[in-house]
Amino acid sequence: MFQSPTSARRVVVTGLGALTPIGNTVQAYWDGMMASRSGGARITHFDPEGFSTQFACEVKGFDPTDFLDRKEARRMDPFCQYALVATDEALRDAGLDPATMDQADKDRFGVVFGSGIGGMKAFQDQVINLHDHGPRRVSPFTTPMMILDIAAGQISIRHGLRGPNYATVAACATGNNAIVDGFLLIRSGLADRVLCGGSEAGITGIGVSGFGAMKALSTRNEDPARASRPFDASRDGFVIGEGAGALVLETYEDAKARGATIYAEILGIGMSADAHHVTAPDPSGEGVRLALNGALRTAGLAPEDVDYINMHGTSTPLGDIAESKPSKKVFGEHDYS
């Protein structure tokens, strides 16, 4: 039985980190959102000529050697590089320096960091290497560059964090699931702090062509900056992006004791599956309804207590409908207030 907020450890957010197509720090990302800046533009990571979708939301002005040793950077897929940058910022923002922490504290500092795709560029590059030059030319770093949990592992190694360490993968919900797991680890007493989040770097030939073949991507090549238009009648698919986001979670008591900035408290969680189709959402949105009700129940909140809903907003014809229907079912008239 899930414990109520009054009978379990309180979990708060004390650190933020971000590397995004509209800003390479949390502040720059926020400024970009406030300025209604779009990250959509023609793809530069590879030549998109001949692709049905030729634009994406790429991270801009990023040089991994500004943060990592050149040899170290070469042995990491971009998704892992992005994860390290975002988590470094989150730790600084939380006022935590693992280099000065007691080992006992680091032993109870977990990392749960996810990716929906993982090292796709590393995988693509080495498949081409294998095809063109044979197996002896495949890099010995191929597997550690592409596996999903390498980001969590590299974060752990970089900072000496020896608490629970693993990756989550749940497609677009991956980062949220990492936060949920971090919350549960602290609630259960298995960790005192958790560095969590998600990272993606899927803007590759195989990534864009794969999603394009599914008819999931917008093809508004003439207007990439305004192609993503969730809940709009003319929406035609999502815009693939990349980057990373990270949070530091810890107990309320520890955060207060050290005078940390507390951005938010996590009160409840909800998780579900709609058990419908491998790509298409259940048009009734029943899975979403179950997750929303679960979050309200575990938080001990009524629907009218909620004043902001962060929608998924895929900008796909089916996805937006399947997301808006359950919100109306759960929140009723309050959904419109």
Side-chain angles (χ1 to χ4, degrees), residues 216-254:
L217 295 180
S218 170
T219 57
R220 199 170 269 108
N221 294 313
E222 73 286 354
D223 192 12
R226 297 191 297 174
S228 179
R229 46 184 72 192
F231 306 106
D232 187 280
S234 64
R235 65 190 184 278
D236 71 330
F238 76 89
V239 180
I240 191 170
E242 62 179 0
L247 301 179
V248 172
L249 307 183
E250 60 183 296
T251 66
Y252 172 80
E253 292 75 18
D254 284 349

Side-chain angles (χ1 to χ4, degrees), residues 89-203:
E89 184 185 17
L91 286 169
R92 289 193 304 271
D93 187 50
L96 293 170
D97 182 0
T100 64
M101 293 174 64
D102 292 339
Q103 188 58 56
D105 291 332
K106 291 197 284 187
D107 289 348
R108 293 187 55 77
F109 202 141
V111 180
V112 183
F113 212 87
S115 180
I117 295 176
M120 181 167 280
K121 184 178 187 302
F123 181 71
Q124 175 182 281
D125 289 349
Q126 295 310 311
V127 168
I128 293 171
N129 233 4
L130 173 65
H131 180 271
D132 291 351
H133 305 293
R136 295 185 182 275
R137 293 291 297 275
V138 172
S139 169
F141 297 99
T142 299
T143 298
M145 283 196 293
M146 60 175 270
I147 56 175
L148 286 164
D149 66 343
I150 192 60
Q154 290 285 15
I155 294 163
S156 171
I157 293 166
R158 186 173 176 85
H159 300 294
L161 307 178
R162 300 200 302 205
N165 185 281
Y166 58 93
T168 53
V169 54
C172 302
T174 292
N176 279 347
N177 276 25
I179 297 169
V180 164
D181 280 19
F183 169 80
L184 292 174
L185 287 171
I186 295 172
R187 274 285 179 98
S188 68
L190 289 172
D192 295 327
R193 294 188 177 98
V194 177
L195 189 51
C196 59
S199 177
E200 299 293 350
I203 305 174

Side-chain angles (χ1 to χ4, degrees), residues 4-83:
S4 71
T6 57
S7 62
R9 305 168 97 196
R10 296 172 67 183
V11 181
V12 296
V13 179
T14 58
L16 309 174
L19 178 67
T20 82
I22 59 170
N24 292 2
T25 63
V26 169
Q27 187 60 56
Y29 172 53
W30 180 258
D31 292 345
M33 286 196 295
M34 293 301 99
S36 299
R37 189 177 303 135
S38 172
R42 186 175 173 84
I43 291 170
T44 65
H45 290 347
F46 63 92
D47 182 3
E49 193 64 35
F51 284 68
S52 55
T53 294
Q54 300 177 3
F55 61 96
C57 289
E58 298 176 331
V59 168
K60 302 164 185 67
F62 174 76
D63 184 347
T65 60
D66 290 341
F67 308 92
L68 300 166
D69 172 83
R70 189 173 297 276
K71 181 187 290 186
E72 189 179 25
R74 282 203 309 269
R75 294 174 178 177
M76 290 184 193
D77 186 88
F79 100 97
C80 190
Q81 297 170 359
Y82 296 167

